[in-house]
Amino acid sequence: MLSLLNIRVGFYLALRQIRRASRWTTTLIVFVMLLTFLNLVVVTGVLVGIIQGISNQYRTQETGDVVVSSLDSKDFIENSPQIIALVKSLPGVAQVSSRYIAGGTIEANYFSRDQKEKPNETGASVDGINVADENAFSNLSTHVAEGSYLSSSDYDTVLLGSQLIDRYSFGKMPGLTPLKNVYPGTKIRLTLGGHTREVVVKGIVSVPANSPLAARVFMPEGEVRELIGRDDYAVNEIATLLLPGTDPIAFRDLLLRSGVGANAKVQTFEDATPNGVAEIKDTFAMIGNAIGSIGLVVAAITIFIVIFINAVTRRKFIGILKGIGISGEAIEISYIFQSIFYAAIGSSLGLLFLYGFLVPYIAVHPIVLPISNAIIVAPVASTLLRILLLVVATIIAGYLPARMIVRKNTLDSILGRT
Amino acid sequence: MITVKQLIRSFKDGSRETRVLKGIDLIVKNGEFVAIIGRSGAGKSTLLYQMSLLDEPSAGDVIVDGHSTNEMSTDEETQFRLFNFGYVFQDYALLPELTALENVVLPLIMQGMPIAAAEEKATAALRRVGLDGRLDNLPSQLSGGEQQRVSISRAIAHTPHVLFADEPTANLDKESSAVVMQLFAELHAAGQTIIMVTHEDDFARFAERIVKIDDGMIVSDERVTIRNRPLESGV
């Protein structure tokens, strides 16, 4: 019977058994629990973090916290200069980048190719950017792996996203034929707004395949404006990063109340996130949970074996305890307390490692994967739930072998009879 | 008082059944010091286990102070042992991860005593066997004789009705054995009921009554006319 007295005696026994157990054994079990905890939390966290990394890339490199874009019925944002001025004047704004975006084609190796060969060309989105604003917004210059970043005085000069370059591209995307033999200084043909120009590749932007920067051509905004004939300075996109603590929804609503909605779509990053991203995150979380639960079973089996071996080798002493009148429940509870101790110490160390080092470190130094720069997504509530799961699994794994041994005949245990 | 009625204990090994106790009748009165002797394999330890409720008889009954133990569940037997019996085993049977004091304290806590009171009582029991200077030593830090004295302290700390001892001197040298037997003599003098199994006649003569078992049956049950005393025996 689970009584306070049995719990008290069980705790008394467990405390002393833990205190005087082999330090190596205790360290090993705690280490297994630590790894199990990390397996439960980090595997799921990284899998979700891959998608979160993609989302983050879109936020920091494309939309910002609030993005103003052209209405579905328009190709550009009317009254762009006024809207840009308004956005920049509002409190809570960290960076603003306005972009001219147009579809174009680029072609390489047009001098050396045989006339019968298919041209080495590909379609691409051409972004006309304010060189300084864009760099402040997306840190574009830090992603330039070869060559150098644009300057505002550059003309007939472009940066190419790595997915447009054959030696960087990740797989073969339909409709995209990456350019071969293109390096900084290589001349390529750019066709935009019905004009074809020969431009020089100034640099190559190396980013993960799913980055919004990956398949773009960047040019200073003045030249793009000229090529697409946008004399009215009407841009296609105004992306705004907000200062920490500024509510994007409130900012969006402020813009809408200011009448921006009449000329453009105003969306928060969440609004602009494509449908299905949440489902992909959930899917990855489910896969992580499935992998994590295997780890949980492995941990439970490990604890079972450890407690079972402990109980079997201590069978004589368990018999003696029963012989001198210690109840079976008290003995079982002592093993449960030991299991809880291992799980609690392992999880506590795991928590310290996770939130004290791993999560902040990976947030600053993401795991560079071909499809995104992954971070670890580990919300406290779900981590606590996993700890609870681990403790429950450990309690069961500790209780069962103890129960098996305690139920054996007292005298057989004392005498070591089978 | 313990009454043993037509006690039979058999062990099965496949189709073969070995009857170790063959219908034992025995009465031990309160305050008696009884030694059960016999050659190896005679069934003396098996009888002790039945009387002390550590094992279940195949037939017959053990009646303690008028209560039949046949009807008791395993949990009730454990509870009964806790409050009524004390045990001294041949190999001391101390828990290796508990200190001398903690070994003695544990059954007292199980009886519901607060830890401080249990420690006080356990300290007194250890002082009684001359071990008050070794309270915090683990069993591995004690000699065989000291461990057996801790075991005796654990057995008597809660003042049990009956103290059972199974070959308590078997693993001890002469000097330590003498100390243990001296303790038993003192406890008996203080009114403690003791039932002890031994194969050494010299130690059996510390008891006031010797029950001899052979081939699972009592072959003699005699009062000791000239009892040994540690100093007299010279052991």
Side-chain angles (χ1 to χ4, degrees):
Chain A
M1 195 176 65
L2 189 65
S3 68
L4 207 60
L5 185 61
N6 285 333
I7 293 172
R8 194 156 72 104
V9 173
F11 184 73
Y12 185 88
L13 269 173
L15 194 67
R16 280 146 187 86
Q17 285 179 358
I18 290 166
R19 200 188 291 162
R20 288 160 193 149
S22 154
R23 290 209 174 129
W24 282 109
T25 310
T26 306
T27 306
L28 182 69
I29 300 170
V30 167
F31 188 60
V32 168
M33 300 313 294
L34 169 66
L35 292 182
T36 306
F37 170 81
L38 291 177
N39 183 38
L40 271 176
V41 177
V42 174
V43 171
T44 311
V46 169
L47 285 172
V48 175
I50 290 171
I51 306 303
Q52 190 64 45
I54 294 171
S55 292
N56 284 355
Q57 282 171 2
Y58 270 89
R59 192 182 73 81
T60 58
Q61 298 174 351
E62 169 83 34
T63 64
D65 295 301
V66 175
V67 61
V68 179
S69 56
S70 55
L71 292 169
D72 292 342
S73 56
K74 301 274 184 178
D75 286 333
F76 49 85
I77 302 168
E78 285 182 353
N79 299 324
S80 290
Q82 290 85 345
I83 294 173
I84 293 168
L86 171 68
V87 170
K88 284 184 174 174
S89 70
L90 292 174
V93 173
Q95 298 296 338
V96 177
S97 180
S98 53
R99 304 175 187 122
Y100 297 90
I101 302 171
T105 56
I106 47 175
E107 182 186 355
N109 308 306
Y110 38 87
F111 283 128
S112 57
R113 81 174 166 90
D114 189 315
Q115 288 304 308
K116 291 176 186 169
E117 279 179 35
K118 184 184 164 193
N120 183 197
E121 68 177 8
T122 187
S125 171
V126 181
D127 283 19
I129 55 172
N130 178 307
V131 172
D133 284 355
E134 183 60 42
N135 193 39
F137 182 92
S138 64
N139 296 316
L140 185 57
S141 66
T142 61
H143 300 293
V144 175
E146 291 181 55
S148 56
Y149 187 58
L150 298 170
S151 71
S152 54
S153 60
D154 280 339
Y155 200 78
D156 284 347
T157 305
V158 294
L159 291 180
L160 295 183
S162 48
Q163 276 300 103
L164 300 171
I165 308 292
D166 183 65
R167 64 181 186 281
Y168 281 98
S169 67
F170 180 74
K172 301 287 179 195
M173 290 167 72
L176 192 66
T177 46
L179 305 184
K180 292 174 181 163
N181 304 319
V182 171
Y183 299 90
T186 304
K187 287 184 177 175
I188 60 170
R189 274 183 189 152
L190 169 69
T191 303
L192 186 66
H195 305 279
T196 299
R197 282 192 184 177
E198 191 169 63
V199 295
V200 176
V201 175
K202 189 171 185 186
I204 291 163
V205 177
S206 176
V207 284
N210 277 309
S211 165
L213 311 178
R216 293 198 174 181
V217 178
F218 298 96
M219 281 184 100
E221 61 182 351
E223 193 172 357
V224 173
R225 196 163 52 229
E226 180 191 319
L227 285 167
I228 61 176
R230 193 68 56 72
D231 301 332
D232 54 2
Y233 288 79
V235 297
N236 298 83
E237 194 172 80
I238 305 164
T240 310
L241 275 175
L242 299 175
L243 292 169
T246 307
D247 180 12
I249 295 171
F251 192 87
R252 175 198 65 191
D253 294 345
L254 182 61
L255 286 179
L256 289 172
R257 281 200 303 276
S258 304
V260 175
N263 295 315
K265 273 195 286 192
V266 184
Q267 295 171 296
T268 63
F269 165 69
E270 297 291 339
D271 298 337
T273 301
N275 291 337
V277 170
E279 284 77 6
I280 295 172
K281 269 191 203 174
D282 290 346
T283 305
F284 272 61
M286 285 165 73
I287 294 169
N289 286 338
I291 295 170
S293 46
I294 294 169
L296 193 66
V297 172
V298 170
I301 292 171
T302 306
I303 288 289
F304 182 96
I305 292 170
V306 167
I307 297 287
F308 185 74
I309 291 172
N310 181 294
V312 165
T313 53
R314 290 177 44 79
R315 186 181 156 209
K316 176 185 171 70
F317 299 108
I318 289 173
I320 290 163
L321 281 168
K322 285 167 67 188
I324 63 172
I326 308 302
S327 72
E329 286 76 13
I331 300 166
E332 287 158 13
I333 288 168
S334 79
Y335 280 98
I336 290 173
F337 273 125
Q338 288 177 67
S339 304
I340 291 173
F341 167 81
Y342 295 133
I345 298 292
S347 301
S348 302
L349 290 175
L351 275 176
L352 267 179
F353 182 65
L354 184 71
Y355 291 115
F357 170 71
L358 209 52
V359 169
Y361 180 82
I362 299 294
V364 178
H365 304 95
I367 304 164
V368 179
L369 299 171
I371 63 165
S372 85
N373 290 339
I375 57 168
I376 294 177
V377 177
V380 175
S382 70
T383 302
L384 292 178
L385 179 69
R386 283 170 171 78
I387 289 177
L388 185 68
L389 276 175
L390 185 62
V391 169
V392 169
T394 308
I395 286 174
I396 295 168
Y399 169 75
L400 289 178
R403 177 90 180 134
M404 284 162 64
I405 304 299
V406 167
R407 282 171 71 96
K408 289 198 180 290
N409 178 281
T410 302
L411 187 63
D412 287 347
S413 295
I414 293 173
L415 300 179
R417 291 195 304 224
T418 51
Chain B
M1 187 168 74
I2 298 182
T3 306
V4 176
K5 273 190 179 173
Q6 278 301 301
L7 201 71
I8 293 171
R9 182 67 170 106
S10 323
F11 294 95
K12 275 191 177 174
D13 183 10
S15 58
R16 210 179 100 196
E17 184 176 297
T18 308
R19 189 169 280 195
V20 178
L21 298 179
K22 298 173 178 172
I24 299 274
D25 288 304
L26 181 67
I27 294 174
V28 177
K29 292 179 183 158
N30 290 340
E32 270 194 310
F33 185 177
V34 179
I36 301 172
I37 62 168
R39 61 180 174 77
S40 182
K44 51 191 188 299
S45 287
T46 305
L47 175 60
L48 186 89
Y49 299 145
Q50 313 304 310
M51 293 172 78
S52 61
L53 308 187
L54 283 174
D55 196 16
E56 308 258 333
S58 306
D61 198 1
V62 175
I63 300 162
V64 182
D65 291 335
H67 302 288
S68 168
T69 58
N70 266 355
E71 305 301 316
M72 285 184 185
S73 68
T74 308
D75 286 345
E76 285 168 341
E77 282 179 357
T78 305
Q79 180 92 342
F80 194 87
R81 288 196 300 267
L82 174 69
F83 284 96
N84 297 286
F85 295 161
Y87 296 89
V88 177
F89 295 95
Q90 180 177 333
D91 58 357
Y92 332 126
L94 299 176
L95 297 162
E97 66 275 6
L98 301 189
T99 64
L101 181 68
E102 290 164 350
N103 263 289
V104 182
V105 158
L106 190 61
L108 299 173
I109 301 174
M110 191 72 234
Q111 287 187 346
M113 203 177 278
I115 290 180
E119 284 181 345
E120 200 175 311
K121 201 163 185 178
T123 304
L126 285 162
R127 188 178 298 124
R128 190 172 176 184
V129 299
L131 284 178
D132 44 337
R134 312 300 296 268
L135 302 182
D136 296 325
N137 286 87
L138 292 170
S140 58
Q141 297 164 328
L142 300 172
S143 69
E146 288 171 327
Q147 288 186 59
Q148 194 59 297
R149 281 189 277 158
V150 174
S151 173
I152 293 169
S153 296
R154 181 177 66 187
I156 62 169
H158 61 295
T159 53
H161 293 145
V162 186
L163 174 63
F164 292 97
D166 184 15
E167 303 270 16
T169 57
N171 288 345
L172 301 179
D173 58 29
K174 273 189 172 181
E175 205 172 317
S176 300
S177 299
V179 172
V180 167
M181 294 315 299
Q182 172 73 49
L183 279 168
F184 279 10
E186 287 172 12
L187 289 167
H188 176 233
Q192 177 69 60
T193 307
I194 302 174
I195 301 174
M196 175 180 76
V197 163
T198 182
H199 63 274
E200 294 180 73
D201 288 345
D202 271 355
F203 293 137
R205 298 189 71 79
F206 280 83
E208 60 183 342
R209 181 179 164 197
I210 297 176
V211 174
K212 187 171 184 180
I213 295 197
D214 192 27
D215 197 22
M217 295 168 66
I218 294 175
V219 292
S220 70
D221 185 351
E222 295 172 349
R223 295 261 146 211
V224 179
T225 47
I226 304 168
R227 294 175 63 195
N228 267 350
R229 286 288 176 269
L231 291 176
E232 293 166 14
S233 67
V235 289

